[in-house]
Structures are given as C-alpha cells and as structure tokens.
Amino acid sequence: MVNFGKKLMADRIPEWKGYYINYKLMKKKVKQYGQQLQQGEKDRRRVLKDFSKMLDDQIEKIVLFLLEQQGTLAYRIEKLGKQRAILAEQPDISAIAELREAYREVGLDLIKLLKFVDLNATGIRKILKKFDKRFGYRFTDYYVTSRSNHPYSQLQQVFKHVGVGAVVGALSRNLADLQERQGSYLSIYDQPSTALKDPIIDMINSSVDKLTRSTNFLRFLGQHALIVGEESPSTAEEEEIEDQKYHFMSLMLNLVNTFLYMVNTYIIVPTADDYSVSLGAASTVCGVVIGSMAVAQIFSSVYFSAWSNKSYFKPLIFSSIVLFLGNVCYAMAYDMNSLSVLIIGRLLCGLGSARAVNRRYISDCVPARIRMQASAGFVSASALGMACGPALAGLLQWKFKIYMVTFNQSTLPGWLMAVAWLLYLVWLWISFKEPNRANEVNDTQQVPASVQRADIDKLENGLAQPLLRDSESKQEEDEDEEVDDSEEGAHDSRKPATSIGSAYRLLTPSVKVQLLIYFMLKYAMEILLSESSVITNHYFNWNTSAVAIFLAILGLTVLPVNAVVGTYISNMFEDRQLLMVSQITLLVGIIFSFKITSTYSVVQYVSSALVTFVSAEVLEGVNLSLLSSVMSSRLSRGTYNGGLLSTEAGTLARVVADGTITAAGYLGIGKLLNVTLLPSLVICAASITCTFLTYNSLF
C-alpha cells in the first residue's frame, strides 16, 4: 500500500497545496519529540503542549480555508439561482444548457473540496495514531474529546460535512430539473418516476459517504468480510495486470467453496445430540462433535493462508479431498458404532477449511473495481450456507439401508456433503484457473540484486511495492516512510507480519478490543446454536425438524439485518455508537435467556434467541467494518493478515463455547442453559467496559 505521505503529495490539488496538513513536518516533529524525551531535553507535559498547539494550528489552517471555499460555492450557487429565476420567466434552451453546465462545474468544485477534507481528515487520524504509538496510546483520547466536544470545535468542521447537505440539495434539484426538461415548466416533483440522476450528484454523494464513513449495503457487507486489499491501481499497466489475474469462474468456485463449507458446518447442528446418544455418549457431547471442526480450523487457517502465498488451486483441491473424506468418516461412524470416528470426521472437515484461501483470492486476484462486490458475495455465501445447513438437515428425515450402510437423519448430512464436495472437486479440477504470478516474478529482473534480496519477502507474498532505483530516491522514501513506531527499520515497516506474534504487536489497544468483541459475539452465537437442539428437546420436546426450522430462520435473518444496518442505520450513526448499542442489546438478550423461574416458555427462549442472534449479527458487521478501516496496512497481505487474526479469534471462541457445553453437561441438562450463559454474560460485560474505555479512539 502506498504510504500516506506519498499519497498526500500525489492527490493534493496543486493550487491548494499550502492549505493541506503538513504531514511530513508533523511526522518529523513526532520523531524529534521522541528523541528529546529520551535525552531529557523536554518532559512529557511540554511535548504534549507543543504537539497540541502544532496540530491545532494545522487544523485551523484547514478549517479557515474550508469555510472560505464553502462561502465561494454558496455565492456561485446564489448567482446561478438568479440566472435560473430569469430563465424561468423567459425560457431559452441554449441558456438552460449553459446554466446546467455551470451547476455541474460547481458540483465538480464541491467534489474537489470534499476530497480536500477527506485527505486532511485522514492525515489528522494518522498523525494522532503515530503519536500514540510512540508515546503510549493515550493522547488521542484526550485530544479528540477536548476538541470535538468544545462549542468552538474546529475538529468537527473537518470530520463532519457542515453545510454540504444544503449545497448537494440545491445542485440535485436544479440539475435534475434542467437535465431532461430544457424549456419545460414541469418540475421534477410532477414526474418523479422519470427524473434522471446526474452523474455529478452521484460523485458528490460518493465523496460525502467516504468523508463521513457512511456506507451502502454492498460496501457494508464487503467490510464485514474483512477482506483488505491494496489501494486501487493508479496506472493502466497495473490495471491490466489485475485483469490478467482475474478469472470469473475461479471467483465463483471460491464463493461456492465458502457456501459449502458453511453448510457443512451447520448441517449437523440439529442432529448432533441424537447422533451422540446413538453412539452411547451423552447428548451434551454434541459440543465436542460440533466444536472439533473449529479446533482443527484454528490450525488449518494458518497453513492455508501460507499455502495461498504460492497457489490457490492446490489448497482448494486439498481442501475438497479432506472435506470429502471427513464427511465419509462422519457418516460411517454410525455403522462402526464409534464416537472416535465421528470426531475424526469432524476434525478432517475442520482441517479442510479453506476460508483463508477464499479471502486471499478475493484480496489478491479480484480487480479493485469489483473487489467490494466480491467481498459482499463472500459474506452472502457464508450467510446463505449458515441458513441452508440446518434447513437441509430438517429435510433429511429418511431411514433406509443399502447393503451394510445406514442412511438416517444422523448420517445423511455426512453423505450429502460428501457427494457435494466430490462434485465440487470435479468442477474445480475442470474450471479453476490459477492466477498468473509471472508479473510478480518478472519485476525482480528489473531491480539491482541488492534490492532484490531486501524485497524478496514482499514479492513472495504478492506485494506490488514500488522498487527504489538509486540511493537518492531511497533516502527520500525513507524520510517519507509510513513506519510503525517500533524499533524496526523503515524498510521492514512495509513488510507483512511474519508470525502471529509480530501481527499481534501491530495491534493497537482499540483493535485488540475489537478482536475481543469478535471473540465475545462468536462465543455467544456458538452457545446459542450448538446447544439449541439439547435445550429445546429438554424444555419443549422439539424434534429435529422443529430445531432445523428454528435455526434456519435465525440464519435467514443475516442478510436482511445487514441490509437494514448497511443501507440505513450506518448512515445515521457512527460505527462506534452502533458498536456500543449492539453490545448492550446483546447483553440484554443474554440476560433474558436465563432460566430464573420454575417454568421456561417457548416465547422467552425464541424471543431472547432472536435478540441475541440479531444483535450479534449487527455487532459483527459493525465491528469488522470498523476493524477493516483502522487495522494496520501491514496486515492487509501475507500469511498473518487481518482476516486470519479475526478468523482465529472467532474460531477460538467457538472451540471454547463448544467445550463449555460438553463440560457443563456433567452438571446435568437442567443446569446446562444457565451455566453456559454465564460466561457469555461476563465476557459481554467485559467487552462493553473495554469499549467504553477506548471509545474516543474508535474513529
């Protein structure tokens, strides 16, 4: 990823260059402050005072220029309004066309101003983050709180598009009226169905969305996937390279792999307790049966992520074969009367989890212009698989034998998935196209050997970094490097993380809190889903079909809930506000799920389950959306990327939750519900507390 200092220099408007944040100067000052503190030339209080004043001055420069430009735009719109009033009395088609173009010119200048604000807002966030990394992650909370809450706040002018809404409204109304009704007296309100939207207004709205970090449904789903790609290519050559790597059918095969894996995960949930009992174990052993897949996935995510550095086809082939064998073992365990074979089958299924490959393929091989759609497809495939799994289990209620092989509600899910993975394997072998990595290798031939050795890790991980050609350009780049404030060299600061430990060291406290939240919500969801068959059978005598319908309904809420949040709610509130509210709602759902009285009704269970599941879904989307925007760029690629970290956190939560179910079963089924809900309650309360403590840094 291009570092921000270079991006600022490349994207700024030349005639406005004196009004942008002086990011290079501030970065040097941060470095000087660190040296002065070490040498005792300044104390911490003086450093904080000097840095605050410098940043205040920079923000004031930006805001005063912003207000000046807003005034200029308002004056121009006012003048155009007077011309429009004259044309309303004496329509002239050519004059109306000229007026429309004049409005469009105002719109283009407004877009320039919005990009100016966006670049400066990003610069402020980055320099605060850089200062925190060097001095203890404490200054941002103070600075943002004191400046944004003050009645004379200039910081709010940068982070909020003050006055833009009125300008956009005026431009929208006038352009829409003038576009197709030149010389007509009809208003857009008279023919709303035929009103055409001007592309300039679309561009303005996109700029406003980016500035306020609001989002539509597609972008929200894409961020939900936590697929962090490089920035959009800046040259036609790079776009051509991306197009050469992209293959539609290969993308579809990755999405189908995601769908089938989620079906495979949840298709056994309604029948796992019955299967365990039929093999002589307690019904609560279903926790181990379900969770063994997650245990194996903790390890498979790492080796599949590493494998995808070299190939995508081979790990997908391996994944399909292992999943086929795992499902055969799962199905054959019934006739072999072996709980061990059952668990081995699920472990093999977990070892075949190629979700890390699916994520990496979208991040590395899908062109930037459609990467968000592909990311949304990844999330949609996961959600549909989660809903289809239990639904299919509810349909597989037959019982028959072929030779010595038994087919019933317990074994049919295994046989069905084995056939599905076999068919997928054939389709994969015929249709998948390995991306062309030759461009990445050829780049090394154009660079001196000394630089090749230094950059070999980047090239192996598929990173397309600009390579230095002489010592002078190297020195300039080192000065402008977007470094992490550790003891790493500037060159190393651009490498992806090479281990879980190095990836963990790149996490700020706010990101760690978000991973804790992800762990918490996955734990709560796994407890709800995995023990549903045992709980509903014990309290309500539900059969497998009833449990399957209930779980399928829960799964089907995923896309509608994300549609509402991504389309409407996230445009009205900040991510951190939604983060806090959804956690509190989840806490309420957990509390309401406890069995306190002597009776436990279906209404209480179903309503509390819906509140818990829906709030967890909202929380997951908002949490990963926020996480994708604040996580270090070094975690966007390589084996130990942000997607892997979140996957490991969620998978670990599932393992712990399923283990809790089995352990709590020794206390008796009557105590299972409350005992398993108690850890959810404690972890949820802890995550709310941590979110409150880091709230001001979540921006």
Side-chain angles (χ1 to χ4, degrees):
M1 179 179 288
V2 178
N3 63 64
F4 179 74
K6 299 183 81 173
K7 178 178 173 59
L8 178 61
M9 296 291 290
D11 293 353
R12 69 184 182 183
I13 300 167
E15 58 267 29
W16 294 356
K17 65 180 181 180
Y19 301 100
Y20 287 87
I21 182 173
N22 195 334
Y23 186 73
K24 186 174 182 180
L25 171 65
M26 299 198 72
K27 206 164 58 166
K28 287 182 178 179
K29 284 290 186 181
V30 170
K31 185 177 180 180
Q32 288 176 7
Y33 291 148
Q35 294 172 347
Q36 289 170 349
L37 278 176
Q38 289 179 353
Q39 296 170 4
E41 297 177 9
K42 285 186 178 180
D43 58 18
R44 183 177 292 269
R45 184 185 296 272
R46 181 61 183 272
V47 166
L48 294 176
K49 181 180 178 180
D50 289 352
F51 183 75
S52 298
K53 184 179 184 305
M54 183 172 60
L55 189 52
D56 288 340
D57 290 341
Q58 292 288 317
I59 292 173
E60 183 174 281
K61 174 184 67 175
I62 295 165
V63 169
L64 291 177
F65 180 75
L66 173 61
L67 294 175
E68 177 187 340
Q69 293 300 312
Q70 285 180 344
T72 301
L73 291 175
Y75 176 71
R76 290 169 62 186
I77 292 174
E78 182 185 8
K79 287 184 63 178
L80 293 176
K82 292 177 180 178
Q83 296 179 32
R84 190 173 183 276
I86 295 173
L87 288 174
E89 299 294 331
Q90 298 178 343
D92 183 297
I93 292 179
S94 61
I96 290 176
E98 292 177 1
L99 183 61
R100 185 186 66 230
E101 292 305 314
Y103 273 115
R104 283 180 171 171
E105 289 179 8
V106 174
L108 290 173
D109 287 341
L110 176 59
I111 292 170
K112 287 168 58 178
L113 187 61
L114 290 172
K115 290 181 178 178
F116 167 83
V117 177
D118 180 51
L119 271 176
N120 283 293
T122 303
I124 293 169
R125 282 196 293 266
K126 283 186 172 292
I127 201 64
L128 282 168
K129 185 182 295 185
K130 185 173 292 293
F131 190 88
D132 280 353
K133 284 183 178 180
R134 185 174 288 275
F135 299 106
Y137 306 98
R138 296 174 181 172
F139 180 72
T140 295
D141 288 0
Y142 157 75
Y143 189 85
V144 173
T145 302
S146 60
R147 268 60 176 177
S148 62
N149 295 332
H150 196 277
Y152 303 143
S153 172
Q154 293 178 330
L155 193 64
Q156 289 286 11
Q157 293 281 341
V158 178
F159 286 102
K160 300 294 182 182
H161 52 286
V162 180
V164 170
V167 177
V168 173
L171 289 173
S172 299
R173 181 175 66 86
N174 288 293
L175 281 172
D177 280 347
L178 294 170
Q179 185 169 353
E180 289 294 320
R181 286 166 290 280
Q182 297 180 10
S184 172
Y185 290 98
L186 292 176
S187 164
I188 59 171
Y189 305 112
D190 297 319
Q191 296 176 311
S193 61
T194 60
L196 297 177
K197 200 170 185 180
D198 194 279
I200 295 295
I201 299 302
D202 289 336
M203 293 171 64
I204 291 172
N205 288 332
S206 296
S207 297
V208 171
D209 283 345
K210 186 174 186 297
L211 178 61
T212 58
R213 295 169 59 230
S214 61
T215 181
N216 56 27
F217 177 41
L218 199 63
R219 182 171 295 277
F220 184 78
L221 280 185
Q223 291 174 322
H224 192 160
L226 201 62
I227 295 172
V228 186
E230 298 296 309
E231 292 189 2
S232 302
S234 56
T235 67
E237 182 181 356
E238 288 174 322
E239 288 181 352
E240 184 180 352
I241 290 173
E242 279 197 341
D243 289 337
Q244 290 174 358
K245 293 168 68 177
Y246 173 61
H247 183 237
F248 174 76
M249 188 57 67
S250 299
L251 173 61
M252 290 302 300
L253 283 163
N254 273 277
L255 296 180
V256 171
N257 183 283
T258 298
F259 171 78
L260 288 178
Y261 185 78
M262 293 303 289
V263 172
N264 209 149
T265 299
Y266 290 99
I267 195 171
I268 72 159
V269 172
T271 58
D273 57 335
D274 290 337
Y275 205 165
S276 301
V277 171
S278 67
L279 297 179
S283 60
T284 52
V285 174
C286 68
V288 172
V289 174
I290 297 171
S292 55
M293 191 170 179
V295 171
Q297 189 180 348
I298 292 177
F299 303 98
S300 67
S301 296
V302 177
Y303 69 72
F304 271 117
S305 183
W307 200 349
S308 61
N309 289 329
K310 299 179 180 179
S311 172
Y312 300 99
F313 178 66
K314 292 178 181 178
L316 288 176
I317 289 288
F318 177 78
S319 164
S320 304
I321 294 173
V322 172
L323 280 157
F324 169 76
L325 295 175
N327 282 288
V328 169
C329 288
Y330 182 85
M332 291 297 296
Y334 187 88
D335 291 306
M336 298 174 68
N337 194 30
S338 173
L339 183 64
S340 298
V341 173
L342 183 72
I343 294 175
I344 289 172
R346 290 295 285 179
L347 285 170
L348 285 173
C349 289
L351 290 174
S353 171
R355 287 173 65 82
V357 180
N358 306 144
R359 272 195 174 101
R360 283 290 299 276
Y361 184 87
I362 295 173
S363 177
D364 294 351
C365 303
V366 175
R369 64 180 182 274
I370 60 170
R371 189 176 298 140
M372 190 58 69
Q373 292 92 321
S375 302
F378 176 84
V379 176
S380 300
S382 299
L384 291 174
M386 182 179 181
C388 288
L392 287 173
L395 297 175
L396 301 176
Q397 297 299 303
W398 307 297
K399 185 174 183 179
F400 56 92
K401 263 195 171 186
I402 298 179
Y403 296 107
M404 301 296 292
V405 181
T406 302
F407 297 86
N408 57 25
Q409 67 172 12
S410 297
T411 62
L412 278 171
W415 290 120
L416 177 64
M417 293 312 304
V419 172
W421 285 113
L422 187 61
L423 294 175
Y424 174 80
L425 180 61
V426 174
W427 183 19
L428 181 70
W429 189 273
I430 295 172
S431 302
F432 191 87
K433 180 182 177 182
E434 186 74 72
N436 182 14
R437 296 174 181 259
N439 294 306
E440 298 163 10
V441 176
N442 289 339
D443 286 342
T444 64
Q445 299 172 0
Q446 305 172 6
V447 190
S450 60
V451 180
Q452 288 184 29
R453 288 192 297 271
D455 284 83
I456 190 68
D457 289 336
K458 296 178 186 177
L459 298 176
E460 286 180 349
N461 287 315
L463 291 172
Q465 298 285 0
L467 300 179
L468 308 178
R469 303 189 183 279
D470 53 59
S471 59
E472 182 180 353
S473 60
K474 179 175 178 60
Q475 181 180 358
E476 291 177 357
E477 177 143 340
D478 285 344
E479 289 179 355
D480 204 33
E481 191 79 35
E482 189 67 22
V483 300
D484 298 299
D485 289 314
S486 63
E487 295 304 316
E488 297 174 305
H491 190 82
D492 291 338
S493 68
R494 293 163 63 189
K495 291 181 180 179
T498 55
S499 67
I500 288 288
S502 62
Y504 181 81
R505 287 192 292 273
L506 292 173
L507 305 181
T508 63
S510 58
V511 173
K512 292 175 184 176
V513 169
Q514 288 173 271
L515 290 176
L516 171 63
I517 293 172
Y518 194 63
F519 177 92
M520 178 271 294
L521 68 91
K522 284 297 184 182
Y523 182 93
M525 290 176 69
E526 189 71 10
I527 288 291
L528 170 64
L529 298 174
S530 295
E531 70 178 14
S532 58
S533 57
V534 178
I535 295 298
T536 54
N537 179 266
H538 176 72
Y539 289 109
F540 318 127
N541 293 318
W542 283 7
N543 57 24
T544 299
S545 297
V547 177
I549 293 172
F550 169 68
L551 294 177
I553 291 173
L554 285 181
L556 288 173
T557 63
V558 172
L559 289 179
V561 166
N562 280 292
V564 172
V565 175
T567 306
Y568 303 106
I569 298 179
S570 63
N571 290 325
M572 297 161 50
F573 303 98
E574 295 180 3
D575 282 348
R576 58 181 182 175
Q577 292 174 325
L578 295 176
L579 198 72
M580 182 64 81
V581 171
S582 54
Q583 285 184 86
I584 294 173
T585 307
L586 178 57
L587 183 67
V588 171
I590 294 172
I591 293 173
F592 191 47
S593 300
F594 278 88
K595 181 182 180 298
I596 300 175
T597 62
S598 57
T599 58
Y600 195 62
S601 66
V602 173
V603 173
Q604 180 184 351
Y605 177 75
V606 172
S607 58
S608 61
L610 280 172
V611 171
T612 300
F613 189 83
V614 169
S615 57
E617 274 301 318
V618 173
L619 180 58
E620 180 174 5
V622 174
N623 186 54
L624 292 182
S625 175
L626 184 58
L627 191 60
S628 67
S629 63
V630 300
M631 189 172 280
S632 169
S633 61
R634 291 181 59 191
L635 295 174
S636 64
R637 291 291 183 94
T639 301
Y640 301 95
N641 53 69
L644 175 65
L645 292 181
S646 63
T647 298
E648 293 291 79
T651 305
L652 182 61
R654 291 174 53 204
V655 171
V656 175
D658 291 323
T660 302
I661 293 172
T662 299
Y666 289 103
L667 301 176
I669 295 181
K671 296 181 180 180
L672 177 67
L673 181 65
N674 287 351
V675 171
T676 53
L677 286 175
L678 189 58
S680 295
L681 183 66
V682 173
I683 300 172
C684 187
S687 70
I688 291 174
T689 303
C690 293
T691 304
F692 178 78
L693 293 175
T694 59
Y695 185 78
N696 288 322
S697 63
L698 298 175
F699 72 100

